[in-house]
Structure formats: structure tokens, C-alpha cells
Amino acid sequence: MVSRRLFLSSAALAPFAHAAGAPAGTGGGDRPVVVGSSNGLKAAELALARMQAGVDPLDAVIAGVNLVEDDPNDMSVGYGGIPNEDGVVQLDACVMHGPTARAGAVASLEGIKNPSKVAKAVMETTDHILLVGPGARRFAEMNGFPVENLLTDKARKVWLYWKQNLSAKDKWLEPDAAKLDPAVQEFIRDYGRDSFRDPRSHGTVHLSACDGRGDLAGCTSTSGLFFKMPGRVGDSPIIGAGCFVDNAVGSAGSTGRGEANLLISGGHLIVERMRAGRSPKDACLDALRRIAETTKEKRLLDDRGRPAFPISFYAVSKSGAYGMATMWSTRPSGKPAQFAVADARGARLEAAAFLYEGMATI
Ligand code: ASP
């Protein structure tokens, strides 16, 4: 039997030959490799380093995702995440481990900044896949996870500003636009002004990884839609939607409008498309097309009948090919859509494949 160490070191030498000339986003087929959302660049880099050191791909992606969960400047995940309507941060996460075909998840978890670690504990120590709300919190406490206030001052100010601007007919007065708090200004710069008006605004971190011998894992973590209804759960903690792994085929995950992904089980769909021979990128585009075909509600469509919301998919195959595709080429912040990749060529952002040019607008 080839030792894991030997295998990893020979895999680490191979990539350059495969990667030569591979255009960005087509996925060179190098192993180990990590693909993920653009806010997960450092996370992907760490996950790759862990796998290169022989760490299991699930532990590697969780370590990467923990960086984003711990970062108060990422206001879409973990500590510092944008709270719900009531000003309470509620987190969702899931993990899936290819070699054992097991998964775990938590939803509407309050007070615990690393929901991905709790999801792994659900996977490893219970007969269940998904724990939610107070039950998930109780489980985390029983397992020694520290309970913390996840609402940072910045997130609180952003939430308050949202509340003050909700309606001209309530008892809140609109703050002076010329005297915006720096925290609010920074939020607008990073996430776009529409993040206040548009309750679909979002962010999440997803990582999918394939190690040197083709073992796969995925992890998704989020604070969900900004200012969501208390108890609202999107796709991120749902196995088959926000993340799905089949160790014989690949791993896939999503960020963006979770409701749209839930309706097509995007993670599972992409893995099945890869099983049928589609490349990771084309499988991601297939999922976006499915959403475009099945989104019927007028309020969700632009004047040309296209889904007027952001949603993205990420995938890696067992051979180490990777890909990503997004509905709109431009993010709500105005920046071009990109995704994170880490392999023997280093960690980098690559341009996203997309279904429609421009920005989602109703
Ligand atoms: N997919 C996440 C959710 O629906 C949020 C996001 O990525 O925008 O909760």
C-alpha cells in the first residue's frame, strides 16, 4: 500500500505539468486543491497547507472556514455577522466528509462563533445530521463551546441604521445622510448600498476540497441573509443544497440566495451532473440554468425575466478539477465576481464564469 506521505509528496510534484496552459476557471486537475467563495481566499490557502501536511480534508476545510468565522470584518459569517431583524446573530453551517459519507449541520445557532465545528461534532457524536436553535446551542454548550456575544459594535450600528431607515411612517427618524457613522460607511463600501434596502443581500463562506489521494470534503458557514426573519434558515446548513459531497465524484457548495438553491438542491444536482461527466464549471452553470428555468415569481425576476438575485456555485471533482459559476458577473458591491482557489500554483482569486453579464437588478 502506498503510504499517505509518499502519495502526497508525489502528488505535490505533479501539478505543474497538468496546470500548464489551463485557462482560469477551467480547473487544472491538480491535487490537493481547494475551491471556495472569494471571502475564503486565506481559508483556502490554510486548508491546502493542512492537506499538504497530511490533515484530513474535512479538518482542513473547517480550519480554513474558522478563519472567516473568527474574523469580525467579514460581516456575512460567524463573529461580527449581520444580525437578524431583532438584532440577534443566528448562524448556520454544515460539513460533509467524503471518505465516511457522513455529514453534520446546525442552524439558527446563537452565541457560538464556530458553527462549522459544532456541525462536525453533530456529525461525529450523534445519530443526527441537523440540530437547530436552542437544541443546537445546548449541544454546543454540552461540548464545551464557549458562549459569546457575536454582535460586534460595527454590526450593531449597521443593524440600527437599517432599522432607522425601514419606514418613513414608523417612530424612528432617518439619520442625517451627511453624518453617517464610519462603520456604516465601511459596510456600504464593502457590501453595497443596496444591502440595506434589499433583504436578499448576503455573504457566506464555502470551501470544497480534494486531497492528494482524491478524498473530498466540504464546509459552508454563514450568518445568513442580512436582517433576516428570526428563525429563517437558508441553504447553507442543508446537506444537498449548501454543500454536498460524494467521495466517488466530487464536492459542491453554494453562496447567495439560499431560497433559490433550496428549490433545486444545488449541491446535490452539481455532484450528479459531474457524475454524468460534466466539468465542475459546467455543472455549476447547469445549476444556475435550472434556477433560471424554474424561478417563476415576478418579484424575483428582472424586466427580461432573469433571476434578479446573486447566487454562486463552487465545485471540485475527485480528479482535482475545479470550477465555479455565478448568476451575475458583477457582485452587489460593484466588484467583478471571483472565487478562491488554492493548489500547487498557490492561493489566488480567479474570475467567475457567469450566466448573465452585469449586476442583479429588479
Ligand atoms: N446562502 C446563504 C443563505 O441563504 C446566504 C448567502 O450566501 O447569501 O443563508
Side-chain angles (χ1 to χ4, degrees), residues 112-163:
I112 313 284
K113 78 173 171 191
N114 295 124
S116 59
K117 284 188 189 168
V118 185
K120 189 184 175 216
V122 172
M123 177 185 100
E124 285 184 330
T125 68
T126 79
D127 182 37
H128 306 307
I129 305 286
L130 174 61
L131 294 180
V132 307
R137 159 78 166 260
R138 176 90 189 95
F139 172 80
E141 284 181 74
M142 285 189 308
N143 279 278
F145 285 90
V147 174
E148 297 164 64
N149 176 15
L150 303 182
L151 186 67
T152 57
D153 216 38
K154 181 176 174 187
R156 181 188 58 75
K157 284 177 177 170
V158 167
W159 169 75
L160 192 60
Y161 180 79
W162 168 77
K163 217 167 164 49

Side-chain angles (χ1 to χ4, degrees), residues 235 257-266 291 294-295 309 311 313:
D235 61 326
R257 181 180 156 77
E259 282 72 7
N261 186 22
L262 283 169
L263 288 169
I264 64 149
S265 303
I291 289 173
T294 57
T295 302
F309 48 81
I311 183 155
F313 292 103

Side-chain angles (χ1 to χ4, degrees), residues 23-282:
T26 58
D30 308 337
R31 296 191 314 210
V33 59
V34 188
V35 64
S37 45
S38 60
N39 58 347
L41 181 60
K42 289 238 157 346
E45 189 173 28
L46 177 65
L48 179 79
R50 292 281 165 96
M51 287 194 295
Q52 284 167 335
V55 168
D56 177 89
L58 182 57
D59 291 326
V61 289
I62 292 174
V65 163
N66 290 163
L67 286 182
V68 188
E69 290 173 336
D70 292 348
D71 179 2
N73 293 316
D74 191 312
M75 302 185 77
S76 67
V77 180
Y79 176 64
I82 292 290
N84 67 16
E85 273 181 10
D86 292 346
V88 176
V89 180
Q90 290 187 323
L91 303 179
D92 306 331
C94 74
V95 300
M96 191 155 183
H97 185 233
T100 55
R102 294 178 77 187
V106 288
S108 285
L109 176 61
E110 296 177 12
I112 313 284
K113 78 173 171 191
N114 295 124
S116 59
K117 284 188 189 168
V118 185
K120 189 184 175 216
V122 172
M123 177 185 100
E124 285 184 330
T125 68
T126 79
D127 182 37
H128 306 307
I129 305 286
L130 174 61
L131 294 180
V132 307
R137 159 78 166 260
R138 176 90 189 95
F139 172 80
E141 284 181 74
M142 285 189 308
N143 279 278
F145 285 90
V147 174
E148 297 164 64
N149 176 15
L150 303 182
L151 186 67
T152 57
D153 216 38
K154 181 176 174 187
R156 181 188 58 75
K157 284 177 177 170
V158 167
W159 169 75
L160 192 60
Y161 180 79
W162 168 77
K163 217 167 164 49
Q164 289 163 338
N165 282 281
L166 264 184
S167 163
K169 293 191 182 128
D170 63 18
K171 302 290 184 253
W172 295 88
L173 303 181
E174 264 181 47
D176 186 344
K179 292 187 201 150
L180 279 193
D181 190 284
V184 175
Q185 289 180 29
E186 205 173 286
F187 177 78
I188 290 172
R189 196 194 60 220
D190 291 345
Y191 294 93
R193 184 168 288 282
D194 279 352
S195 297
F196 288 107
R197 288 197 287 266
D198 186 347
R200 296 163 306 173
S201 298
H202 69 92
T204 293
V205 61
H206 169 78
L207 291 184
S208 273
C210 181
D211 75 6
R213 58 175 159 196
D215 280 338
L216 295 144
C219 176
T220 306
S221 183
T222 190
S223 50
L225 296 187
F226 296 167
F227 322 117
K228 62 192 177 185
M229 289 174 71
R232 177 268 182 189
V233 173
D235 61 326
S236 303
I238 305 302
I239 300 299
C243 183
F244 189 72
V245 181
D246 183 322
N247 213 46
V249 179
S251 172
S254 179
T255 62
R257 181 180 156 77
E259 282 72 7
N261 186 22
L262 283 169
L263 288 169
I264 64 149
S265 303
H268 187 261
L269 174 65
I270 289 166
V271 170
E272 290 310 308
R273 296 298 291 150
M274 289 196 288
R275 195 194 306 277
R278 299 284 276 169
S279 73
K281 183 184 83 177
D282 288 342

